[in-house]
């Protein structure tokens, strides 16, 4: 178990447990024990009950950390890429849960997920659209349109970012997606949203001309985004800026990533890290 006890959440805090902080590179590894230099696929546990993205290794890794996967009541899907949704892991949570798990995903993701009737009976399905806001798991949740694409360019699935709010704390989950979409940015601007934490797609690294520019961030983009977030009141000196969804193959190993992201005012997520807001 990481430092502190995850399930003894203090009042008026949100506790985030990173179960996977990598990109697609570990999709084919079923075991939760990875070499020290590898990151598990994207999964984040909020206050022990809400899982954001359900990666292949997350259930076994949470169990290994001493957590209780059966306490998960809600799963939020950003999009159906294989490093964010693993069918087997999804059903590990569904089978372990004490009640039907509430599953929140973009309406168009259902075409890719292809859940069977029998599978649908086991979950409490909630398809959502970008800019929807709702309450669940003790949180207010807002889905925003991400700059990302799944499958064909005509796919009905529109990847989502999320804003989670609870007990006066608010954080942004922005994986996957490069930059912001116009609607996402305007939503945050017009609603004068300030975050306690921003979890930012940090896939690409120093390759400023990388072809992923439309769907993932590189360092140059992140520096601009942080500047714009600060200048428009969305982050303050107290906001925790977290680099996550780090693709091992895209970052050079010349300098420790903690140092590189530290210079941007960011802290680097790693598998098993806990953050309390
Ligand atoms: Zn991804
Ligand atoms: Zn993706």
């Amino acid at each position: 178990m990481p430092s502190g006890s995850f399930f003894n959440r203090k009042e008026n805090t949100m506790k985030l447990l990173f179960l996977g902080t990598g990109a697609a590179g570990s999709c084919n590894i079923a075991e939760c024990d990875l070499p020290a230099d590898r990151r598990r696929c994207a999964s984040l546990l909020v206050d022990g009950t809400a899982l954001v993205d359900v990666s292949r290794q997350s259930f076994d890794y949470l169990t290994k950390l001493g957590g209780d996967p059966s306490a998960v009541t809600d799963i939020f899907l950003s999009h159906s890429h294989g490093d964010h949704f693993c069918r087997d892991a999804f059903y590990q949570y569904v089978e372990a849960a004490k009640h039907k798990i509430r599953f929140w995903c973009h309406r168009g993701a259902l075409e890719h997920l292809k859940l069977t009737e029998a599978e649908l009976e086991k979950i409490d399905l909630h398809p959502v659209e970008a800019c929807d806001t709702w309450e669940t798991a003790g949180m207010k949740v807002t889905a925003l349109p991400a700059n990302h694409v799944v499958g064909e360019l005509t796919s009905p699935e529109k990847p989502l970012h999320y804003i989670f709010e609870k007990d006066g704390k608010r954080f942004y989950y922005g994986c996957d997606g490069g930059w912001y979409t116009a609607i996402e940015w305007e939503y945050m601007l017009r609603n004068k949203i300030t975050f306690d934490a921003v979890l930012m797609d940090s896939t690409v690294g120093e390759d400023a001309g990388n072809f992923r520019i439309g769907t993932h961030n590189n360092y140059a983009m992140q520096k601009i985004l942080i500047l714009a977030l600060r200048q428009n009141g969305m982050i303050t000196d107290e906001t925790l800026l977290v680099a996550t969804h780090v693709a091992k193959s895209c970052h050079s190993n010349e300098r420790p990533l903690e140092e590189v992201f530290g210079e941007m005012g960011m802290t680097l997520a790693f598998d098993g890290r806990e953050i309390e807001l």
Side-chain angles (χ1 to χ4, degrees):
M1 195 71 185
S3 60
S5 176
F6 189 77
F7 296 97
N8 294 332
R9 188 176 72 88
K10 286 188 211 141
E11 286 297 309
N12 303 319
T13 61
M14 288 181 96
K15 223 166 182 183
L16 314 184
L17 173 61
F18 290 86
L19 296 172
T21 58
S26 300
C27 270
N28 296 326
I29 304 174
E31 301 76 32
C32 75
D33 289 322
L34 269 60
D37 64 337
R38 297 292 291 268
R39 291 169 179 267
R40 295 166 186 81
C41 294
S43 266
L44 175 77
L45 188 67
V46 184
D47 288 340
T49 60
L51 187 72
V52 191
D53 287 332
V54 51
S55 73
R56 184 158 188 177
Q57 304 91 7
S58 67
F59 186 97
D60 292 342
Y61 186 48
L62 176 57
T63 305
K64 188 184 171 191
L65 291 175
D68 177 13
S70 74
V72 171
T73 59
D74 292 69
I75 294 178
F76 303 87
L77 185 69
S78 63
H79 63 300
S80 62
H81 275 160
D83 56 324
H84 296 255
F85 182 84
C86 169
R87 200 180 193 85
D88 290 346
F90 180 68
Y91 283 102
Q92 281 181 295
Y93 288 100
V94 168
E95 298 295 347
K98 299 175 182 94
H99 305 283
K100 275 190 181 182
I101 281 189
R102 291 180 288 265
F103 180 50
W104 309 86
C105 67
H106 184 263
R107 188 175 303 280
L110 295 170
E111 184 171 292
H112 292 283
L113 297 175
K114 293 186 170 41
L115 304 176
T116 65
E117 284 297 321
E119 288 170 339
L120 286 168
E121 271 181 23
K122 294 181 178 177
I123 59 172
D124 187 6
L125 178 67
H126 295 271
V128 299
E129 299 285 352
C131 297
D132 282 354
T133 292
W134 65 96
E135 290 187 9
T136 188
M139 301 187 293
K140 181 181 167 191
V141 184
T142 302
L144 293 173
N147 200 13
H148 201 63
V149 64
V150 178
E152 299 297 319
L153 300 182
T154 52
S155 165
E157 178 174 0
K158 305 301 175 205
L160 299 173
H161 289 166
Y162 288 104
I163 298 173
F164 295 99
E165 301 173 61
K166 184 179 191 176
D167 297 339
K169 303 287 183 182
R170 180 189 287 132
F171 78 94
Y172 168 89
Y173 179 90
C175 306
D176 294 348
W179 299 106
Y180 294 110
T181 58
I183 289 173
E184 179 175 34
W185 178 257
E186 288 296 314
Y187 184 96
M188 298 190 296
L189 195 63
R190 294 179 193 191
N191 288 287
K192 296 184 169 52
I193 289 176
T194 303
F195 295 106
D196 295 284
V198 170
L199 278 50
M200 188 182 281
D201 181 311
S202 304
T203 308
V204 177
E206 56 268 89
D207 185 4
N210 190 279
F211 72 92
R212 297 175 182 84
I213 187 172
T215 54
H216 292 288
N217 293 325
N218 58 45
Y219 294 154
M221 293 159 72
Q222 288 180 272
K223 286 174 189 167
I224 294 171
L225 291 173
I226 290 167
L227 190 71
L229 287 167
R230 193 176 298 281
Q231 200 162 307
N232 291 282
M234 294 169 199
I235 60 172
T236 69
D237 290 345
E238 276 73 53
T239 304
L240 203 59
L241 299 173
V242 185
T244 189
H245 201 275
V246 177
K248 176 178 159 55
S249 60
C250 294
H251 294 256
S252 86
N253 292 318
E254 279 177 25
R255 284 201 300 152
L257 289 184
E258 289 85 351
E259 197 179 301
V260 175
F261 284 112
E263 286 173 2
M264 290 186 227
M266 302 189 80
T267 182
L268 180 64
F270 53 83
D271 297 359
R273 183 171 183 184
E274 277 184 289
I275 289 177
E276 192 168 289
L277 305 178

